[in-house]
Amino acid sequence: MEPTEFKKGNDPQSSALLVLAALIWGTAFVAQSEGMKYVGGFTFIGVRYLLGGLVLLPVLAVMRRNSLAAESKSSEKEVSAGFRAGVQGGICCGLCLFVATSLQQFGIVHTTVGKSGFITTLYIVIVPILGIFSHKKTGLGLWVSVMLATIGMYLMCINEGFTIGKGDFLIFLCAIAFSFHILIIDYFSPRANGVLISCVQFFTVGVLGSILMLLIEKPEVEEILAAWAPIGYAGILSSGVAYTLQVVAQKKLQPAVASLIMCLESVFSLLAGWLILHEWLSLRELTGCALVFVAIILAQLPSKRKGG
């Protein structure tokens, strides 16, 4: 029996959780931008993810207490295996997330926000391609959805001539790292508690970020305190809540479908700028949003093939 493939499909509740995660990530762009006015990149990453891990510790404690009765019915070997898988998965996810976040943080300095948003969401193409090498079947309908979403992201994000520079290359590496992050979650989420994976993941990123923060940036405490609002939003909601929703939701979703839903992050960031900051959307951008939404809906339609 292979738990990774157990009932993987287009579960509506799991899809809704990922949409909520994408909404939080989309609005968190504002917090990330504001936070960089006060502290350096590694400082923001380190403090943000340590906060995200701390937020989940009480949740883990409550879940542990409520599951004692259930665990008493399981063998000690099964409980130990689940905990070990959670720690291993959290460390692996944390390493990937740290690489992806760092590349994005420093890549965006050398490119435009629009181009970085588009290149980052290329994971919607990279994930199904990587899935081929891991023998995960991707139907024609899903490939059509991926292509529609890619075209939509291009229309939304690219308004100037497309040239490849240093920042663009770093963001592309970031997209590859996020792709592996999605696939690692796909592997570990059915084998361990999602909150445990998230908690270990955040502490892994937070510790790595903090080490580089102390070695390279050496921030003052006052600078960190001045950025309490953006760090708090990014740490509690964008990290603690949204990434945990991702781990939990991916238990019942194919990684290619999950990556499609998560690309709504850029749509929500664009719409948030329109509704909150009153930034005008062009017909081109609205068309891009529509194409991405159509792609997500198509990806959720059940396949007519049996056993697919």
Side-chain angles (χ1 to χ4, degrees):
M1 180 184 297
E2 179 59 58
T4 309
E5 304 298 332
F6 182 69
K7 291 188 178 179
K8 287 266 182 176
N10 300 337
D11 180 63
Q13 184 176 4
S14 298
S15 297
L17 292 178
L18 268 189
V19 170
L20 178 57
L23 174 61
I24 296 173
W25 286 328
T27 54
F29 273 115
V30 178
Q32 187 172 355
S33 176
E34 288 297 309
M36 291 296 290
K37 295 179 180 178
Y38 301 95
V39 295
F42 287 126
T43 301
F44 190 86
I45 290 171
V47 178
R48 166 191 176 179
Y49 284 103
L50 285 178
L51 178 59
L54 289 172
V55 167
L56 289 186
L57 285 179
V59 180
L60 270 179
V62 172
M63 292 181 65
R64 173 65 177 171
R65 185 180 60 191
N66 293 340
S67 63
L68 284 178
E71 287 187 354
S72 64
K73 300 177 183 179
S74 304
S75 68
E76 183 178 342
K77 185 177 181 181
E78 290 175 337
V79 174
S80 176
F83 179 80
R84 187 166 56 252
V87 174
Q88 291 173 346
I91 292 174
C92 291
C93 289
L95 291 173
C96 257
L97 184 58
F98 176 74
V99 172
T101 303
S102 300
L103 287 169
Q104 185 182 58
Q105 195 75 46
F106 293 101
I108 201 172
V109 176
H110 302 286
T111 187
T112 65
V113 173
K115 288 175 71 175
S116 64
F118 170 71
I119 297 172
T120 298
T121 51
L122 285 179
Y123 59 66
I124 65 175
V125 179
I126 299 171
V127 167
I129 290 176
L130 292 176
I132 294 175
F133 296 100
S134 58
H135 308 291
K136 293 182 181 294
K137 295 181 179 179
T138 302
L140 177 61
L142 189 55
W143 279 110
V144 171
S145 297
V146 167
M147 291 301 105
L148 279 177
T150 303
I151 295 171
M153 294 303 305
Y154 181 86
L155 292 176
M156 281 195 303
C157 301
I158 307 300
N159 294 312
E160 70 280 352
F162 193 91
T163 56
I164 303 298
K166 175 183 177 181
D168 303 323
F169 181 68
L170 291 176
I171 297 294
F172 180 69
L173 294 179
C174 155
I176 296 176
F178 272 127
S179 300
F180 279 103
H181 182 251
I182 292 170
L183 292 177
I184 291 172
I185 290 177
D186 175 65
Y187 178 82
F188 281 104
S189 60
R191 293 169 164 78
N193 181 284
V195 178
L196 174 60
I197 293 175
S198 287
C199 190
V200 175
Q201 169 183 244
F202 298 150
F203 279 119
T204 300
V205 180
V207 168
L208 291 174
S210 297
I211 291 173
L212 292 176
M213 169 190 77
L214 295 174
L215 291 176
I216 299 173
E217 296 173 351
K218 300 180 176 65
E220 298 289 338
V221 175
E222 291 77 10
E223 295 173 343
I224 298 176
L225 293 177
W228 70 268
I231 289 178
Y233 186 88
I236 296 173
L237 288 179
S238 184
S239 298
V241 176
Y243 278 111
T244 303
L245 290 176
Q246 178 192 0
V247 173
V248 172
Q250 276 198 233
K251 284 188 177 183
K252 296 183 179 180
L253 290 174
Q254 301 172 28
V257 173
S259 66
L260 268 169
I261 297 173
M262 287 188 288
C263 83
L264 283 172
E265 169 188 351
S266 292
V267 177
F268 287 132
S269 66
L270 200 66
L271 293 176
W274 179 35
L275 295 173
I276 300 173
L277 304 177
H278 308 292
E279 296 175 349
W280 182 256
L281 294 183
S282 67
L283 179 60
R284 174 192 176 100
E285 291 170 324
L286 290 172
T287 302
C289 289
L291 282 175
V292 173
F293 277 117
V294 169
I296 301 302
I297 293 172
L298 287 177
Q300 299 305 303
L301 296 178
S303 173
K304 294 183 180 179
R305 289 175 52 190
K306 294 182 180 179

